[in-house]
């Protein structure tokens, strides 16, 4: 009987973890496309390809982590629905916090790339404006 409630927990947890990952990824990389296009200054094909690679990496990291923390320990499970809900809330809450951190790390990378790209553009512009001797 204990195994069936744990199996129910897995059936609840996995779709939620995958749906959260999908939602965060689609939101992040739909909006991140603008940053990538700005970073790569008109090279849309490279910007979109890079954005897509970031998205695939985001899926791999997050779904991989969701699967790594999937296990419900038999010793901590006392075969009640209350215990199942508490364990699931801990797992889903922890995974949501992890996704939030990954979101902010990706945003940091987007802003950092944009800042470096703007700095590089300024240097090139200054060199072009200098008089030739």
């Amino acid at each position: 009987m204990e195994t069936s409630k744990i199996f129910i927990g897995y059936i609840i947890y996995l779709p939620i973890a995958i749906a959260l990952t999908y939602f965060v990824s689609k939101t992040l990389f739909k909006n991140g496309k603008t940053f990538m296009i700005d970073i790569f200054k008109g090279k849309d094909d490279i910007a979109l390809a890079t954005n897509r690679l970031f998205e695939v990496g985001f899926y791999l990291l997050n779904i991989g982590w969701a699967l790594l923390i999937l296990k419900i320990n038999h010793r901590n499970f006392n075969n009640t629905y209350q215990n199942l809900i508490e364990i699931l809330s801990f797992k889903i809450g922890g995974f949501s916090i992890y996704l939030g951190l990954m979101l902010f790390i990706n945003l940091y990378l987007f802003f950092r790339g944009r800042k470096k790209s703007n700095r590089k553009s300024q240097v090139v512009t200054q060199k072009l404006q200098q008089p030739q001797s």
Side-chain angles (χ1 to χ4, degrees), residues 10-82:
Y10 294 153
I11 290 175
I12 293 169
Y13 169 77
L14 278 174
I16 291 173
I18 291 169
L20 281 170
T21 301
Y22 179 79
F23 172 74
V24 171
S25 176
K26 285 300 168 194
T27 303
L28 176 64
F29 292 103
K30 180 181 131 194
N31 297 309
K33 182 171 51 172
T34 305
F35 285 100
M36 287 297 186
I37 290 171
D38 185 45
I39 290 168
F40 287 101
K41 304 283 185 228
K43 298 176 185 171
D44 289 1
D45 53 339
I46 294 174
L48 297 176
T50 304
N51 194 51
R52 186 68 181 146
L53 289 172
F54 266 103
E55 185 176 7
V56 169
F58 188 84
Y59 278 123
L60 290 172
L61 282 171
N62 294 310
I63 291 174
W65 182 252
L67 292 172
L68 275 174
I69 65 170
L70 172 70
K71 184 177 181 180
I72 295 174
N73 196 341
H74 289 279
R75 287 171 273 184
N76 298 336
F77 190 70
N78 63 15
N79 203 23
T80 65
Y81 285 110
Q82 176 186 352

